[in-house]
């Protein structure tokens, strides 16, 4: 068999690796993706892994996309099937014309049942068993060996592989040789036996030189360092744990006095999420910038405290790295299922500020935004990331920092400020901006006040008087509403041509849906469908959100949950006709792919045009 | 009704402390608790302790949860910040506040419901962390605000006002604290301010987590015959065993104690706690002895009070976290911002 050059698929295909978790597959896949990235070709990586440490099926998708799309393709063109448990499923998932690479140390004749694919058997286990003595090395190196085989099939650059391995194992040079040997095993075997089989090729480009590969939890943790957070409290929960890991790492790197060994930070692993919430409330009340990372179940547990912070007006920054619910749900799968939970978290009338990052770059920026907004508005602020953004490595523009940035610490009175005041009252709206002044403990006797979650009047005194109570909660909702133009503005993208036909269709979406939505929209444009697109980035919704809805007739609201939570939030908070909005919902727990969006929109457009 | 402001009455020749403040400068709003409530006695003792220690009111912080006892943080130290949090969660808020600024004097006020039922988890973990605060557990064995249910501190066999008998074993906060390695463990009684005020002073000066379990009878729902937390029962079985006095760094130890029954314990601030009324051979630095003593006395229905255990050598949370001396909330942003160049450098690792 030899591939004709005109049939080649260069820099536009998807590799999927089916493996057993706990076998070192994650580092092998990261290596594979990085090789392509270093060749200057944009990549998208999606880790679809089990809630388990060892022994269950796990998958990793690497999309090679010269056009720089950021979502999944919905296809698999090269399947590396390393897990006998999932062979059947992996075989079925492979797109027609695709390649299946498997370990034929144990031949699997049933792979030949599909005639529309190419099957490549590489005796990975046999080769590794012969080459390596230690049992653990044999398992680990089998994975590195398939990277070698894939490298041969796709024409990956061997020099880059060598460089990467030397960088990865700089501290352990012996491992470099071991890994290189494993790469060579796979590479040589595949070259010799299947040299011309693959039509999938990677050709070097120069499209990634100003990019980095980072996950959103790392960038959010880094954002907290740059934003000046000094305190963090948390309870370990997938998929938010790596956010605190990143904060810990960068604090250790950047915030330890080299001479004294003393820290300019404090990180406390709490006994549960309730305590984590209480700790950051205590620290923020006392004037330290702080945050807690968690996921949906943690928000449920923190809800009572969130209401306290809302009513007592204490800054609070929460990162909700959303995962598939309800209950324990699928903790390692993604969803956008906490939008409504966070918007109204806690009993009683409560409304919160939400930020919706779409990628790790926005996680960095919004971490800083959240710290500023929480102190400016003296209230809980949620950053709603998800497992797809938080735990997958994304190719993003290099993060930048403005050295002129100064934190907005909000309205805090110093001893000096208090001197000129007759008397200080905690909840008085003296500036007419709905935001009262606060004071920090220890500053000045004149600044003392009593913070309570029980009924209080504008002076900070206890009350059970209806009128006094209402005065405060009415101000609170005005304060919340006034954040609408302080949260990140929606990103509105106008179609390359005006909408065709009588009905003006458009798209609203949120967070990690963006990559798939952008690509589906491009595809629709090639089919003559032109849709304006708005991605909301903050709640309360700014005026632009309503304007966008008003300017269109039918709007698809694309999101990743069953209950149309963004759709519900839009209807509940903005005065728009219900029939204008059309929910498009994806909630399998796997990151959204553009085909899903394209198919759903095509179908809806067809029926709705007929009706219209 | 809302809250009452306590009238400020100045008397001539009122004693002043080192700051020139009088005792009433340490008062707060008028108590809204029932007349005769043990908690009011504890409130007065706390105010007195702060007054006698000459702590500037605004350098103290009051934290509390929910319940009758937790309300009392409004009734003293009006010039201090106070935070009345959510039920059973005061320890976490205190932990965060102390992480942000360890230089203030923190006093937590809680009850047996707040600490031993809904808040048991946070209570024990604050002790494990050795958070530098004094935790006052005003213990009346009953839920007052919801009108008379047993708390987890109710003794087995103790009866409720309407006659129900408690069949569940009590959680003894002192035993709990000793088992968890809390570093200052005491029991007091709201009716004995002579003993309680010095204990509070010592607890405030101790570096690390101090617990004072204060028997504080509820006159409305747990002061009847058959209750083991009533005034009558407490007076009957009360044994003020170990008296602790705080002696500031500059002061001379008074000589009116008999040598031999005084044990001085050095504190981190250079001051001392001197213990008196010690029984022969009892050393409150010996945790096993303290546990023993506690269980022996409870077997004979005796309510042993005083400073039962102290450990000044354990690192507190601040030290364990290796934080610098300057409070976190006082570190200027310039020292926290790694800058644009650094960000560029960090990202080299992500290429």
């Amino acid at each position: 068999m030899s591939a004709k050059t005109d049939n080649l698929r260069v820099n536009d295909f998807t590799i999927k690796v089916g493996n057993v978790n706990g076998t070192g597959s994650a580092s092998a896949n990261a290596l594979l993706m990085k090789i392509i990235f270093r060749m200057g070709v944009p990549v998208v990586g999606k880790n679809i892994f089990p809630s388990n440490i060892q022994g269950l099926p796990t998958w990793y998708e690497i999309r090679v996309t010269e056009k720089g799309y950021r979502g999944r393709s919905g296809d698999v063109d090269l399947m590396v099937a390393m897990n006998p448990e999932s062979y059947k499923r992996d075989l079925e998932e492979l797109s027609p014309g695709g390649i299946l690479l498997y370990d034929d140390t144990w031949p699997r004749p049933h792979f030949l049942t599909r005639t529309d694919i190419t099957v490549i058997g590489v005796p990975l286990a046999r080769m590794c068993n012969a080459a390596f003595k230690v049992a653990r090395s044999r398992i680990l190196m089998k994975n590195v060996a398939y990277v070698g085989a894939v490298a041969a099939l796709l024409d990956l650059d061997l020099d880059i592989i060598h460089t990467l391995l030397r960088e990865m194992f700089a501290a352990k040079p012996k491992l470099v040789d071991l890994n290189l040997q494993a790469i060579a095993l796979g590479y040589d075997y595949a070259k010799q036996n299947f040299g011309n089989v693959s039509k999938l090729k990677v050709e070097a480009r120069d499209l990634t030189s100003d990019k980095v590969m980072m996950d959103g939890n790392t960038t959010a943790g880094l954002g907290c360092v740059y934003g000046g957070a000094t305190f963090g409290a948390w309870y370990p929960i997938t998929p938010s744990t790596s956010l605190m890991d990143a904060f810990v790492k960068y604090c250790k790197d950047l915030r330890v006095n080299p001479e004294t060994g003393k820290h300019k930070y404090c990180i406390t692993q709490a006994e549960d999420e309730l305590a984590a919430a209480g700790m950051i409330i205590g620290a923020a009340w006392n004037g330290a910038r702080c945050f807690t990372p968690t996921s949906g179940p943690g928000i449920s547990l923190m809800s009572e405290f969130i209401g306290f912070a809302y009513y007592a007006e204490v800054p609070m920054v929460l990162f909700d790295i959303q995962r598939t619910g309800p209950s324990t749900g699928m903790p390692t799968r993604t969803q956008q299922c906490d939008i409504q939970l966070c918007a109204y978290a806690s009993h009683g009338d409560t409304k919160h500020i939400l930020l919706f990052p779409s990628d790790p770059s926005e996680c960095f920026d919004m971490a800083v935004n959240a710290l500023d907004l929480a102190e400016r508005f003296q209230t809980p602020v949620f950053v709603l990331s998800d497992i797809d953004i938080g735990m997958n490595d994304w190719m993003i523009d290099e993060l930048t920092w403005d050295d002129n940035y100064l934190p907005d610490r909000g309205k805090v009175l110093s001893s000096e400020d208090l001197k000129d005041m007759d008397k200080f009252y905690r909840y008085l709206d003296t500036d007419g901006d709905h935001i009262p002044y606060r004071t920090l403990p220890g500053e000045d006797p004149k600044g003392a006040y009593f913070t309570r979650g029980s009924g209080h009047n504008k002076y900070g005194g206890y009350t059970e008087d209806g009128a006094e109570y209402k005065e405060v909660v009415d101000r609170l909702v005005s304060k919340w509403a006034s954040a609408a133009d302080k949260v990140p503005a929606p990103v509105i993208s106008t179609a390359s041509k005006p909408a065709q036909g009588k009905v003006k269709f458009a798209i609203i979406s949120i967070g990690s849906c963006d990559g798939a939505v952008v690509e589906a929209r491009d595809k629709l444009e090639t089919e003559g469908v032109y849709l304006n697109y708005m991605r909301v980035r903050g709640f309360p919704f700014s005026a632009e959100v309503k304007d966008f809805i008003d300017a269109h007739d039918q709007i698809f609201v694309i999101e990743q949950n069953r209950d149309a939570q963004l759709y519900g939030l839009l209807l509940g908070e903005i005065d728009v006709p219900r029939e204008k909005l059309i929910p498009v919902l994806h909630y399998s727990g796997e990151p959204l792919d553009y085909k899903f969006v394209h198919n759903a929109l095509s179908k809806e457009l067809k029926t709705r045009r007929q009706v219209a | 009704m809302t809250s009452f402001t306590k009238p400020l009455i100045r008397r001539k020749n009122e004693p002043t402390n080192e700051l020139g403040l009088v005792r009433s400068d340490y008062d707060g709003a008028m108590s809204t608790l029932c007349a005769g409530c043990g908690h009011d006695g504890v409130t007065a003792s706390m105010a007195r302790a702060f007054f006698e220690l000459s702590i500037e009111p605004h350098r103290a912080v009051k934290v509390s949860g929910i319940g009758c006892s937790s309300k009392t943080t409004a009734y003293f130290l009006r010039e201090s910040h106070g935070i009345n949090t959510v039920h059973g969660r005061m320890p976490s808020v205190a932990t965060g506040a102390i992480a942000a600024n360890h230089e203030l004097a923190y006093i937590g006020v809680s009850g047996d419901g707040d600490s031993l039922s809904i808040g048991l988890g946070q209570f024990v973990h604050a002790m494990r962390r050795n958070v530098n605060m004094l935790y006052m557990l005003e213990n009346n064995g009953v839920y007052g605000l919801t009108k008379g249910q047993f708390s987890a501190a109710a003794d087995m066999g103790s009866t409720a006002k309407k006659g129900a008998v408690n069949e569940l074993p009590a959680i003894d906060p002192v035993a709990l604290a000793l088992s968890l390695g809390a570093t200052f463990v005491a029991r007091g009684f709201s009716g004995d301010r002579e003993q309680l005020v010095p204990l509070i002073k010592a607890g405030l000066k101790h570096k690390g987590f101090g617990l004072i379990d204060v028997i504080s009878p509820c006159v409305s729902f747990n002061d009847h015959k058959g209750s083991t937390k009533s005034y009558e029962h407490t007076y009957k079985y009360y044994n003020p065993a170990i008296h602790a006095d705080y002696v500031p760094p500059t002061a001379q130890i008074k000589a009116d104690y008999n040598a031999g029954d005084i044990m001085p314990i050095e504190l981190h601030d250079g001051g001392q706690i001197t213990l008196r009324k010690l029984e022969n051979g009892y050393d409150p630095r010996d945790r096993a002895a303290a546990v023993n003593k506690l269980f022996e006395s409870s077997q004979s229905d005796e309510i042993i009070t005083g400073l039962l255990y102290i450990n000044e050598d354990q690192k507190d949370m601040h030290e364990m976290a290796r934080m610098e001396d300057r409070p976190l909330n006082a570190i200027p942003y310039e020292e926290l911002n790694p800058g644009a160049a650094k960000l560029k450098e960090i990202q080299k690792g992500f290429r």
Side-chain angles (χ1 to χ4, degrees):
Chain A
M1 276 190 283
S2 75
K4 287 181 192 163
T5 38
D6 54 353
N7 268 348
L8 288 181
R9 274 182 68 187
V10 177
N11 296 348
D12 181 24
F13 55 88
T14 297
I15 308 163
K16 186 165 185 170
V17 181
N19 215 326
V20 182
N21 84 321
T23 61
S25 59
S27 18
N29 298 328
L31 172 67
L32 183 54
M33 183 159 72
K34 216 132 206 212
I35 300 164
I36 301 165
F37 172 74
R38 286 276 181 102
M39 287 176 73
V41 180
V43 279
V44 176
K46 301 289 179 203
N47 193 6
I48 298 158
F49 62 104
S51 177
N52 176 267
I53 301 299
Q54 204 172 69
L56 287 182
T58 186
W59 290 272
Y60 200 86
E61 266 185 30
I62 299 170
R63 181 176 183 193
V64 184
T65 161
E66 179 152 345
K67 285 183 178 162
Y69 282 126
R70 298 170 14 127
R72 297 167 73 210
S73 68
D75 286 322
V76 179
D77 305 295
L78 168 59
M79 178 68 83
V80 181
M82 295 296 289
N83 183 3
E85 290 274 324
S86 63
Y87 271 164
K88 190 169 175 287
R89 178 182 162 169
D90 295 345
L91 177 67
E92 281 166 11
E93 203 181 332
L94 186 60
S95 302
I99 301 170
L100 186 123
L101 189 157
Y102 85 113
D103 186 350
D104 75 347
T105 306
W106 305 276
R108 310 267 164 181
H110 53 273
F111 281 153
L112 306 174
T113 54
R114 265 188 80 172
T115 52
D116 59 341
I117 59 164
T118 306
V119 176
I120 291 179
V122 182
L124 296 162
R126 197 170 66 223
M127 293 192 300
C128 289
N129 288 352
F132 305 107
K133 283 188 197 124
V134 184
R136 182 73 185 156
S137 302
R138 288 172 171 173
I139 294 171
L140 297 175
M141 290 308 132
K142 206 168 71 171
N143 290 328
V144 181
Y146 76 65
V147 175
V150 171
L153 296 175
L154 306 181
D155 285 348
L156 301 186
D157 188 330
L158 277 176
D159 288 343
I160 289 176
I161 301 178
H162 291 195
T163 312
L164 273 169
L165 286 172
R166 276 195 295 272
E167 286 173 18
M168 279 168 81
F169 302 109
K172 301 171 189 164
K174 272 188 187 167
L175 287 180
V176 178
D177 293 340
L178 206 64
N179 278 273
L180 282 174
Q181 197 187 341
I183 291 280
L185 286 177
Y187 190 91
D188 295 346
Y189 188 93
K191 264 280 179 256
Q192 279 159 24
N193 296 282
F194 307 100
N196 292 315
V197 169
S198 173
K199 295 184 181 97
L200 311 173
K201 296 291 173 198
V202 176
E203 274 178 17
R205 295 284 186 269
D206 184 20
L207 300 168
T208 66
S209 54
D210 54 349
K211 312 280 185 195
V212 287
M213 299 283 311
M214 292 180 94
D215 67 71
N217 283 352
T218 300
T219 56
L222 197 53
C224 289
V225 172
Y226 272 79
T230 52
F231 181 72
W234 66 302
Y235 184 75
I237 179 170
T238 302
S240 73
T241 306
S242 56
L243 197 162
M244 194 51 107
D245 290 345
F247 186 70
V248 170
K249 177 187 161 27
Y250 294 114
C251 280
K252 279 185 179 163
D253 290 352
L254 304 164
R255 295 260 187 87
V256 179
N257 183 326
E259 279 153 33
T260 62
K262 291 286 176 70
H263 298 178
K264 289 189 173 83
Y265 64 92
C266 176
I267 296 159
T268 304
Q269 183 182 322
E271 53 270 31
D272 52 34
E273 284 90 347
L274 295 84
M279 286 175 191
I280 63 160
I281 286 173
W285 179 76
N286 219 353
R289 281 209 146 178
C290 52
F291 67 96
T292 186
T294 188
S295 191
I299 300 290
S300 293
L301 288 172
M302 292 176 183
S303 287
E304 188 183 18
F305 256 138
I306 291 165
F308 174 81
Y310 172 81
Y311 190 34
E313 301 184 62
V314 183
M316 190 179 189
V317 172
L318 305 107
F319 291 87
D320 178 0
I321 316 302
Q322 298 168 97
R323 64 187 220 187
T324 305
S327 189
T328 305
M330 300 196 287
T332 58
R333 300 295 151 86
T334 195
Q335 252 182 13
Q336 298 170 318
C337 51
D338 300 336
I339 299 171
Q340 298 234 350
L341 169 71
C342 292
Y344 306 115
S346 207
H347 56 275
D349 288 328
T350 52
K351 287 186 168 193
H352 306 297
I353 296 174
L354 315 180
L355 309 180
F356 309 112
S358 68
D359 66 10
S361 182
E362 285 189 336
C363 287
F364 179 75
D365 295 339
M366 288 185 186
V368 182
N369 285 344
L371 290 164
D372 280 344
L373 288 168
E375 290 194 318
R376 169 54 45 187
F377 289 95
Q378 302 174 17
T379 196
V381 175
F382 296 76
V383 181
L384 273 86
S385 175
D386 60 35
I387 190 168
D388 180 15
I389 304 171
M391 289 188 73
N392 284 318
D393 280 331
W394 289 56
M395 193 186 80
I396 51 169
D397 290 343
E398 200 173 289
L399 303 173
T400 55
W401 184 250
D402 175 7
D403 276 329
N404 296 315
Y405 166 82
L406 280 177
D408 178 0
R409 303 303 309 263
K411 295 164 77 167
V412 183
L413 295 173
S414 66
S415 206
E416 197 63 30
D417 301 327
L418 286 159
K419 250 183 211 146
D420 307 325
M421 291 179 72
D422 190 28
K423 205 161 176 357
F424 164 70
Y425 293 112
R426 173 64 178 95
Y427 297 113
L428 216 51
D429 179 13
T430 48
D431 298 340
D433 62 355
H434 323 294
I435 304 170
Y437 285 89
R438 65 183 187 126
T439 56
L440 301 182
E443 179 75 14
D444 195 284
K446 223 169 157 184
Y449 70 96
F450 196 75
T451 308
R452 47 163 64 90
S454 49
H456 47 269
N457 58 26
K458 62 183 173 187
Y459 304 109
Y462 179 82
T463 193
E464 292 176 8
D465 179 296
E468 285 189 346
Y469 160 83
K470 276 178 70 185
E471 195 175 11
V472 172
V473 294
D474 287 346
R475 177 181 57 74
L476 283 177
V477 79
S478 303
K479 181 178 82 166
W480 169 82
S482 75
D485 59 358
K486 301 292 187 297
V487 298
V491 177
I492 295 171
S493 164
T494 311
S496 65
K497 278 187 190 171
Q500 316 285 300
K502 281 183 200 162
V503 186
K504 278 200 270 179
F505 289 95
I507 299 172
I508 293 179
S509 192
I510 186 167
S512 62
C513 296
D514 189 54
V517 171
V518 166
E519 189 171 357
R521 189 167 157 258
D522 280 3
K523 174 95 172 136
L524 285 166
E525 287 207 352
T526 65
E527 295 159 7
V529 180
Y530 298 91
L531 301 169
N532 293 334
Y533 164 40
M534 174 176 70
R535 176 166 63 85
V536 294
R537 297 200 298 166
F539 179 72
F541 298 123
S542 66
E544 292 145 291
V545 177
K546 182 172 182 345
D547 292 347
F548 184 88
I549 296 174
D550 288 346
H552 298 91
D553 303 316
Q554 297 268 276
I555 303 156
F556 302 106
V557 182
I558 304 168
E559 54 185 310
Q560 298 174 60
N561 56 67
R562 185 194 66 183
D563 291 347
Q565 298 192 22
L566 174 62
Y567 163 89
L569 205 60
L570 290 164
L571 288 179
E573 296 290 341
I574 306 177
D575 182 20
V576 290
R578 173 172 283 267
E579 51 282 5
K580 262 196 166 187
L581 304 184
I582 308 150
V584 176
L585 307 170
H586 181 275
Y587 48 92
S588 66
E590 294 188 355
L592 190 61
D593 65 82
Y594 92 88
K595 279 199 170 157
F596 174 89
V597 179
H598 179 259
N599 290 344
L601 262 51
S602 302
K603 206 172 134 199
E604 286 283 354
L605 283 162
K606 204 175 159 192
T607 44
R608 284 173 194 274
R609 278 189 172 145
Q610 278 164 0
V611 174
Chain B
M1 196 53 224
T2 59
S3 60
F4 302 92
T5 312
K6 202 166 178 170
L8 288 177
I9 302 162
R10 297 281 172 183
R11 295 177 190 83
K12 273 186 184 171
N13 305 321
E14 248 184 309
T16 55
N17 63 13
E18 285 168 28
L19 304 168
L21 298 174
V22 298
R23 164 64 188 79
S24 60
D25 289 326
Y26 291 79
D27 277 339
M30 189 80 95
S31 169
T32 58
L33 300 176
C34 311
C37 177
H39 297 353
D40 284 332
V42 185
T43 300
S45 299
M46 291 188 285
R48 174 152 291 278
F50 277 97
F51 164 71
E52 288 183 6
L53 286 173
S54 294
I55 292 173
E56 291 175 276
H58 78 280
R59 302 295 289 171
V61 172
K62 305 165 293 179
V63 282
S64 61
I66 294 293
C68 293
S69 52
S70 292
K71 288 168 78 169
T72 66
T73 43
Y75 310 148
F76 67 108
L77 291 179
R78 64 175 175 276
E79 286 186 346
S80 304
H81 274 68
I83 184 163
N84 186 198
T85 67
V86 299
H87 201 9
R89 317 289 173 220
M90 170 265 276
S92 64
V93 175
T95 303
I98 294 164
N101 183 1
H102 65 106
E103 287 183 340
L104 309 176
Y106 292 86
I107 191 159
V109 182
S110 179
D112 40 318
D114 197 55
S115 292
L116 303 179
S117 290
I118 190 168
L120 189 66
Q122 298 214 343
F123 176 55
V124 299
H125 285 281
M127 289 197 268
R128 287 183 63 231
R129 290 189 186 97
N130 205 21
V131 174
N132 189 13
M133 68 183 295
L134 176 61
Y135 193 106
M136 302 290 291
L137 198 161
E138 302 183 356
N139 191 341
N140 56 18
V142 76
Y143 283 84
L145 272 180
T146 51
K147 306 197 172 178
Q149 300 79 13
F150 287 121
S151 84
D155 291 309
M156 252 178 161
S158 187
T159 59
K161 202 174 180 182
K162 287 181 181 167
V165 179
N166 175 45
E167 291 175 340
L168 298 176
I171 298 176
D172 179 350
V174 170
L176 195 63
L178 287 171
S179 78
L180 289 163
T183 52
F184 179 104
V185 184
R187 175 167 285 148
F189 171 40
S190 63
D192 183 358
R193 288 192 215 175
E194 288 271 314
Q195 185 202 42
L196 186 56
V197 173
L199 266 183
I200 295 170
K201 286 162 71 179
L204 284 168
K205 287 294 173 181
H206 164 71
K207 188 172 153 235
F209 190 94
L211 169 72
I212 306 180
D213 174 42
V214 190
I215 308 300
S216 176
C218 172
V219 289
S220 295
F221 297 104
N222 209 11
D223 199 28
H224 47 270
K225 230 179 174 50
S227 158
T228 59
K229 293 277 193 295
S230 64
Y231 277 111
E232 192 187 340
H233 182 95
T234 308
Y235 277 122
K236 187 171 170 191
Y237 294 99
Y238 186 59
N239 173 16
I242 306 133
H243 199 103
D245 288 311
Y246 171 72
V247 185
T250 49
Q252 294 282 316
I253 296 174
K254 289 180 198 165
D256 59 350
Y257 307 133
N258 295 325
D261 62 4
I262 294 176
M263 180 182 287
I265 292 170
E266 301 289 333
L267 297 181
H268 282 264
D269 71 345
Q272 279 186 354
I273 291 174
T274 60
L275 300 169
R276 60 197 155 87
K277 290 192 188 174
L278 278 181
E279 282 175 29
N280 254 351
Y282 186 73
D283 184 348
R285 291 166 303 189
D286 179 345
R287 186 146 71 111
V291 172
N292 227 9
K293 181 100 194 138
L294 182 73
F295 279 85
E296 272 173 15
S297 66
S298 71
Q299 268 165 12
S300 57
D301 282 341
E302 181 186 293
I303 301 167
I304 187 166
T305 60
L307 180 58
L308 295 164
Y309 178 69
I310 182 164
N311 176 357
E312 278 290 298
D313 301 328
Q314 186 73 22
K315 288 178 184 171
D316 74 343
M317 176 180 73
H318 187 87
E319 207 180 337
M320 281 189 272
R322 296 191 192 85
M323 278 186 267
E324 60 173 56
D325 293 340
R326 195 169 37 161
L328 289 182
N329 71 358
I331 303 173
Y333 178 67
E334 306 85 82
E335 290 184 41
L336 301 171
N337 172 18
K342 191 78 197 176
L343 186 60
K344 227 175 165 52
E345 190 189 318
I346 289 169
Q347 291 179 93
K348 283 183 186 156
F350 293 94
R351 296 239 353 112

